[in-house]
Amino acid sequence: MNKRFAVSIVAAASLLASGSAFAQSTTAAGAANGARTGGEIAGPVGEIVGGTVGAAVGAGLEIPNAVITSIPRDEPSVVVRERVVVGEPLPDTVVLRPVPRYTEYRYAIVNDRRVIVEPRTRRIVKIID
């Protein structure tokens, strides 16, 4: 009985972690990131739960066009050596700027590409151009 309770606590913890940490990811990135985080927290059970939740949360998210159109094009770019990939965190050297009229998103100009970033995790949500 104690073991079953512990497994459900661990599964719930991985569920919350993957859902909140990767809420802004795409479906594929949400599944991969959720599985990785869940696996780190709770092993194989957490990996299954985290992957499922990450995919479900990622699939249901849409970024409004108003967010994309309010990101300026003429700001100077921050050049980083890494590729800009959806779901990956930005280096600490990249400054995040607020998106006008939206508090839940930030943006950055990296390698001449406009990207939308989830501010808590600094993960790239969407590459605009």
Side-chain angles (χ1 to χ4, degrees):
M1 187 69 160
N2 237 354
K3 192 175 187 179
R4 187 179 301 167
F5 180 73
V7 168
S8 51
I9 292 292
V10 168
S14 66
L15 174 80
L16 289 172
S18 63
S20 64
F22 304 109
Q24 301 294 325
S25 297
T26 62
T27 305
N33 291 334
R36 184 174 58 231
T37 300
E40 291 170 1
I41 294 172
V45 173
E47 190 170 345
I48 293 167
V49 172
T52 305
V53 170
V57 170
L61 289 168
E62 294 271 336
I63 296 174
N65 283 337
V67 171
I68 294 171
T69 56
S70 49
I71 296 175
R73 291 180 179 270
D74 57 354
E75 291 199 18
S77 177
V78 175
V79 178
V80 294
R81 298 220 159 112
E82 295 89 18
R83 291 185 312 142
V84 180
V85 180
V86 171
E88 292 297 317
L90 283 173
D92 293 333
T93 56
V94 177
V95 177
L96 302 182
R97 295 178 177 87
V99 174
R101 301 186 314 265
Y102 289 92
T103 58
E104 63 269 22
Y105 299 114
R106 298 289 182 266
Y107 77 91
I109 312 288
V110 182
N111 295 343
D112 293 328
R113 302 180 85 178
R114 297 184 300 163
V115 296
I116 297 176
V117 181
E118 201 281 316
R120 290 172 295 156
T121 60
R122 294 183 60 89
R123 291 190 182 277
I124 298 171
V125 176
K126 185 168 186 151
I127 299 170
I128 299 171
D129 52 21

